[in-house]
Amino acid sequence: MTRSHAVAHVPMPARIPSEAHADEGVRLLWTSGWDSTFQLLRLLLLHRLPVTPYYLEDDTRASTATELDAIARITEALHAQYPHTRALLRPLRRFRVAELEPDAAIAAALRDVRTRMYIGSQYAWLPMFCKQQGVDGIEMSVHVDDKVQALLSSRVVAFEQAGTYRSVRVAPAHAATPEYALFRYFSFPLFSIDKRAMDREARLAGWGPLMEMTWFCHRPLRGKPCGVCAPCVYTIEEGLAWRVPRTRRALSFVYRLFARPLKPPLRVAWTTLRGIRT
């Protein structure tokens, strides 16, 4: 797979044909980030399963080009180091968030969840994509220390994926909840592992150089992680601070000490103001 092939844009069809799903193997949301790349390596190198990666392009995210470049570089390195992955790793299926149709039920579910725990807007457009495209069971790399993992921890049931490894998904018993409305389309193979354990497993398996090619920052500055966006903060707090440059770590410390505590009350005030205006 050449770099241009790896990142080719797939125009959003009315619906992905069901026969296309049959040959996709394991479907995985792949952002080039630490968690989804770790799961990709497990699937390709440990379980040797065919994988179709999906990437949803958010036009508001400054890191899109950087993420796609990282996906292309990791793909090329995989093919060079592990030739069998040429057959297993299917072309990236890339879609644009801007092409999704609004969904009132999913938007309402996100608002409901946010009254108890703030989660990002991607947890509206990801299920909208799955619902509108008929995609079910796609893997999302939610892990220990992730807010979504805490949100769903009492609502999941385990199952065996592809007859090979354990995963979990939201149990049908919770079908009446907003959590089910948002996360019913996904499975969570990393639900019981944290970033540090991923790091240990990857290094023991010899995947360290591939993992170091991953990208996570949403607002890169001069090609380096910014230190203050949500993924940078989580990377530092979840034990991988070495991935953020030293000077940006210092900036992140100041941000987390002084600015970050102001975000929840400001968010509540903004939501309240919007409610008054409408």
Side-chain angles (χ1 to χ4, degrees):
M1 182 186 298
T2 64
R3 178 169 300 192
S4 59
H5 189 193
V7 300
H9 175 66
V10 179
M12 188 84 77
R15 187 180 179 93
I16 299 173
S18 58
E19 60 268 20
H21 287 167
D23 192 43
E24 286 188 336
V26 179
R27 297 191 292 275
L28 173 69
L29 292 170
W30 187 26
T31 65
S32 82
W34 181 268
D35 314 311
S36 58
T37 300
F38 176 76
Q39 178 60 8
L40 180 80
L41 298 182
R42 270 185 163 184
L43 291 168
L44 295 174
L45 305 181
L46 179 62
H47 303 301
R48 299 207 168 208
L49 292 171
V51 180
T52 296
Y54 281 65
Y55 180 90
L56 270 68
E57 180 181 342
D58 180 3
D59 293 339
T60 67
R61 183 176 294 179
S63 59
T64 295
T66 306
E67 290 173 1
L68 289 169
D69 183 66
I71 285 174
R73 289 187 293 105
I74 293 168
T75 297
E76 290 176 359
L78 268 170
H79 288 173
Q81 296 173 40
Y82 304 94
H84 76 274
T85 63
R86 293 180 180 273
L88 293 179
L89 182 55
R90 308 292 163 73
L92 182 71
R93 296 187 64 84
R94 176 182 165 191
F95 304 89
R96 294 183 64 239
V97 173
E99 296 177 7
L100 295 171
E101 294 294 328
D103 188 295
I106 289 175
L110 180 62
R111 286 195 300 271
D112 191 316
V113 167
R114 281 178 167 177
T115 64
R116 288 167 279 117
M117 176 185 290
Y118 184 83
I119 59 175
S121 59
Q122 70 268 32
Y123 296 113
W125 47 255
L126 285 168
M128 284 194 302
F129 168 77
C130 292
K131 182 178 180 180
Q132 292 168 24
Q133 294 297 321
V135 175
D136 186 55
I138 191 168
E139 294 195 340
M140 180 187 289
S141 299
V142 168
H143 58 282
V144 173
D145 297 323
D146 190 314
K147 286 196 285 187
V148 170
Q149 198 264 7
L151 177 71
L152 300 179
S153 60
S154 64
R155 295 177 170 87
V156 296
V157 61
F159 70 98
E160 192 173 70
Q161 174 74 293
T164 305
Y165 60 95
R166 185 179 183 274
S167 187
V168 304
R169 65 183 307 166
V170 182
H174 299 281
T177 67
E179 287 83 0
Y180 187 84
L182 295 181
F183 297 102
R184 61 179 294 182
Y185 303 100
F186 309 102
S187 62
F188 308 102
L190 303 182
F191 207 74
S192 301
I193 188 172
D194 62 21
K195 287 183 185 291
R196 283 166 288 197
M198 293 181 217
D199 187 31
R200 290 192 296 271
E201 183 175 327
R203 292 185 187 281
L204 283 172
W207 305 339
L210 289 167
M211 292 297 291
E212 289 174 10
M213 297 170 69
T214 60
W215 186 260
F216 54 93
C217 176
H218 284 178
R219 295 193 295 269
L221 296 172
R222 294 185 291 277
K224 301 291 184 181
C226 70
V228 298
C229 70
C232 280
V233 169
Y234 299 149
T235 294
I236 292 169
E237 293 180 341
E238 293 173 19
L240 300 183
W242 55 270
R243 302 211 68 211
V244 178
R246 188 184 302 273
T247 55
R248 306 282 170 77
R249 271 180 269 160
L251 176 64
S252 181
F253 174 78
V254 174
Y255 166 78
R256 286 179 285 132
L257 186 63
F258 295 108
R260 193 186 185 195
L262 298 175
K263 292 182 71 174
L266 288 173
R267 190 179 290 129
V268 170
W270 173 244
T271 301
T272 302
L273 180 62
R274 289 182 65 187
I276 292 171
R277 287 180 175 175
T278 59

